[in-house]
Amino acid sequence: MSAERSPSGIWWIRRDVRLHDNPALQAALEHAETVIPVFIMDAKLLSHSNPRRNTFLFENLRQLEKELQQLGSHLIVRRGNPRDCLQEILQESNAQMVFAQRDHSPYAQIRDADIAAVLPLTLTAGITIQPESMIRKKDGTPYTIFTPFARAWMEHLDSITLFDPPTRFQPVPDLRSEPIPLSQPDTLFPAGEQSALQRLRSFLSSQVRSYHQNRDLPAEAGTSYLSPSFHLGVLSSRLAFHEAQSLALSVPEQSDIGTWINELLWREFFIMILANFPRVAKGPFREKFTSLQWNNDEQGFSAWKKGLTGYPFVDAGMRQLQEIGWMHNRVRMVAASFLCKDLLVNWQWGEEWFLQNLIDGDLAANNGGWQWSAGTGTDAAPYFRVFNPITQSKRFDSDGKYIRQWLPELSSVPAQYIHTPWKMPLDVQQDCGCMIGAHYPPPLIDHATARQRILSAYRQMNA
């Protein structure tokens, strides 16, 4: 801790909309008597987001403002270029320092370097559980394969010291503040760190015990539904890991907890890849795949986006995405594989569509997932592994519960045809009120034919 504290400093809130375990806030509290919470509505970021994600942001800012007011402070909101806004607030408040949590996206790194060149900006850790620069191979280069990365990550892990939320703030100077845009709360993903903490603890006390068994079943509530909170930093990933690890140590026979912890490590891995290889935001990690010849069928891409491919498992996922801005991870993988390997559409088209629609749309995780599915990434699925949308449907939605939930036109289809409705005889179609071609489309493409086509494309590229 510094021997002398400055009269005031700015806590610049970005992807850390919380009071608990917040390294940037902690640094501000240690170095300044008065901490000024600031959020800047950056038009570049808001325009590249989507309405659901922006709504989630605004609702969480509203909840944070309520908590700040209870502690004697309040949130200063500005709209504009971050450097200009920070410069104005520094001048208006006579603050001496700006503290913020380090972000690893290419835009954030350029923005922060630009600001640090002219303003007193201090960046802290916080997005990841361990600083991404800490995990390196013996030669000093970053890992590019998950399993050795995860092993090294665990070996480097020291005890995690969590920061308690402040119990009181000094009053903030009287500064101009923009209103937080009006928005409609999301019932599936309620805002506020208290809601996120409650969901985490509820998950760890119950669903995590069957996580390994249920996490791939989209009709079951087997996942944590915490990805939007992790993305926005409403929930500290350090705290989530700490509580999960503590539970795993107290119940060593419960392997499902370890499976969920492994998912947190995948998040760490994808952030590390983006930070060290920012080019992945613009193209394949394996650069030889830039020569792959995509078909890029506009009509097929449109049908995929609308959930009209004729493959129910894929379509159910795409309809779920349309309706609630979220999709179960197993279905994300199958839908992604179908777009780039069955339809031979560039994975970047799908990556962008997901970012335009997901409430948890995270550049690092989304990019990593799509490159895995396309076979162009780090731990990518081998090019010859092509998800069969029918067998995936039968395996992970055997009774068709998920399909019927999101495809009401198939709600009366007999169980034996729910995964392959185009095989229904005409009289069965009439009886269940689902005529293929009229109420639900036939398959866009034969999967076996599509598989041979993508394998041929990969082989030509490798020739």
Side-chain angles (χ1 to χ4, degrees):
M1 183 179 292
S2 173
E4 294 185 7
R5 300 170 74 194
S6 297
S8 60
I10 293 172
W11 167 34
W12 178 17
I13 302 162
R14 287 112 69 95
R15 288 177 57 190
D16 56 333
V17 189
R18 67 179 187 272
L19 298 177
H20 74 273
D21 188 45
N22 192 317
L25 172 58
Q26 183 69 20
L29 290 168
E30 289 179 356
H31 290 88
E33 294 287 344
T34 299
V35 172
I36 306 170
V38 171
F39 183 84
I40 299 170
M41 289 188 285
D42 183 344
K44 286 186 178 180
L45 289 179
L46 293 177
S47 64
H48 282 84
S49 185
N50 63 61
R52 284 192 177 96
R53 205 151 65 242
N54 286 340
T55 290
F56 189 64
L57 166 64
F58 299 148
E59 287 300 306
N60 276 286
L61 289 175
R62 231 181 300 281
Q63 291 297 320
L64 178 62
E65 167 68 348
K66 291 178 182 178
E67 294 194 28
L68 287 170
Q69 288 179 353
Q70 292 173 359
L71 300 178
S73 182
H74 68 91
L75 181 64
I76 304 299
V77 178
R78 294 287 173 93
R79 184 187 296 272
N81 177 280
R83 183 179 64 180
D84 296 341
C85 291
L86 290 171
Q87 203 155 27
E88 289 173 359
I89 298 171
L90 284 166
Q91 292 172 351
E92 294 167 8
S93 65
N94 292 319
Q96 288 76 42
M97 294 174 285
V98 179
F99 298 91
Q101 183 177 263
R102 183 177 295 105
D103 198 349
H104 303 293
S105 73
Y107 171 76
Q109 294 196 47
I110 293 170
R111 174 199 62 196
D112 292 348
D114 176 55
I115 292 174
V118 294
L119 298 178
L121 175 64
T122 298
L123 296 175
T124 73
I127 283 184
T128 54
I129 300 166
Q130 296 193 77
E132 57 79 24
S133 58
M134 182 184 298
I135 313 303
R136 288 288 188 272
K137 292 187 284 188
K138 291 181 179 179
D139 62 3
T141 60
Y143 285 91
T144 58
I145 302 296
F146 174 74
T147 300
F149 166 82
R151 188 182 303 117
W153 192 97
M154 293 301 295
E155 289 173 355
H156 280 83
L157 183 67
D158 292 322
S159 59
I160 295 176
T161 301
L162 301 173
F163 299 120
D164 294 328
T167 56
R168 192 72 186 166
F169 282 86
Q170 294 294 327
V172 172
D174 185 17
L175 300 170
R176 175 179 62 83
S177 182
E178 301 272 352
I180 299 171
L182 295 175
S183 53
Q184 186 67 34
D186 191 305
T187 55
L188 182 59
F189 298 104
E193 61 183 295
Q194 296 309 315
S195 293
L197 288 167
Q198 183 178 5
R199 176 166 279 181
L200 169 69
R201 285 157 185 165
S202 174
F203 173 74
L204 291 179
S205 68
S206 56
Q207 294 105 311
V208 77
R209 290 181 172 82
S210 56
Y211 180 73
H212 184 75
Q213 175 184 349
N214 291 337
R215 65 176 180 147
D216 282 319
L217 307 177
E220 303 297 327
T223 59
S224 68
Y225 292 90
L226 288 169
S227 50
S229 297
F230 282 132
H231 167 68
L232 194 55
V234 179
L235 177 65
S236 161
S237 60
R238 291 175 2 123
L239 181 143
F241 174 81
H242 176 78
E243 295 200 2
Q245 187 188 44
S246 298
L247 180 61
L249 292 173
S250 65
V251 192
E253 69 277 7
Q254 183 53 261
S255 61
D256 292 73
I257 303 169
T259 303
W260 189 71
I261 288 175
N262 209 49
E263 294 302 308
L264 295 180
L265 266 61
W266 271 105
R267 179 178 181 272
E268 299 272 298
F269 178 67
F270 284 143
I271 292 173
M272 183 274 296
I273 291 295
L274 178 65
N276 287 283
F277 305 95
R279 60 180 172 78
V280 299
K282 299 293 184 182
F285 176 83
R286 300 183 187 185
E287 293 178 285
K288 69 176 183 178
F289 282 89
T290 54
S291 64
L292 183 63
Q293 296 299 305
W294 300 102
N295 184 41
N296 289 343
D297 171 28
E298 292 275 5
Q299 289 185 330
F301 181 54
S302 178
W304 177 82
K305 290 191 295 184
K306 295 175 182 177
L308 295 172
T309 69
Y311 286 94
F313 198 59
V314 173
D315 292 341
M318 299 308 294
R319 304 277 188 91
Q320 183 181 31
L321 177 62
Q322 286 179 47
E323 292 196 33
I324 66 172
W326 186 85
M327 190 194 302
H328 187 278
N329 189 59
R330 167 58 55 175
V331 194
R332 292 189 199 198
M333 291 190 291
V334 177
S337 176
F338 185 84
L339 180 71
C340 52
K341 291 186 173 177
D342 282 61
L343 297 184
L344 206 57
V345 170
N346 191 329
W347 60 270
Q348 292 171 284
W349 290 25
E351 178 195 24
E352 179 62 24
W353 182 249
F354 272 24
L355 279 180
Q356 289 176 18
N357 288 274
L358 285 168
I359 192 171
D360 64 354
D362 181 278
L363 178 58
N366 189 54
N367 179 272
W370 272 96
Q371 295 228 38
W372 184 91
S373 295
T376 64
T378 53
D379 276 61
Y383 74 87
F384 51 80
R385 180 190 294 167
V386 183
F387 278 132
N388 184 318
I390 301 171
T391 56
Q392 290 284 310
S393 181
K394 291 179 177 179
R395 181 178 177 186
F396 298 113
D397 189 33
S398 58
D399 60 1
K401 182 180 177 181
Y402 177 74
I403 291 171
R404 298 178 201 280
Q405 179 181 358
W406 297 107
L407 301 179
E409 63 268 43
L410 301 184
S411 59
S412 299
V413 169
Q416 69 190 99
Y417 298 114
I418 193 64
H419 308 288
T420 54
W422 62 90
K423 294 184 177 181
M424 285 191 294
L426 184 58
D427 61 329
V428 177
Q429 295 182 41
Q430 292 171 337
D431 289 345
C432 69
C434 181
M435 302 298 294
I436 302 302
H439 302 114
Y440 185 71
L444 273 179
I445 192 169
D446 173 68
H447 173 70
T449 302
R451 183 176 185 277
Q452 291 306 314
R453 182 176 65 168
I454 186 64
L455 293 181
S456 175
Y458 279 134
R459 291 190 190 103
Q460 290 177 18
M461 181 202 66
N462 288 321

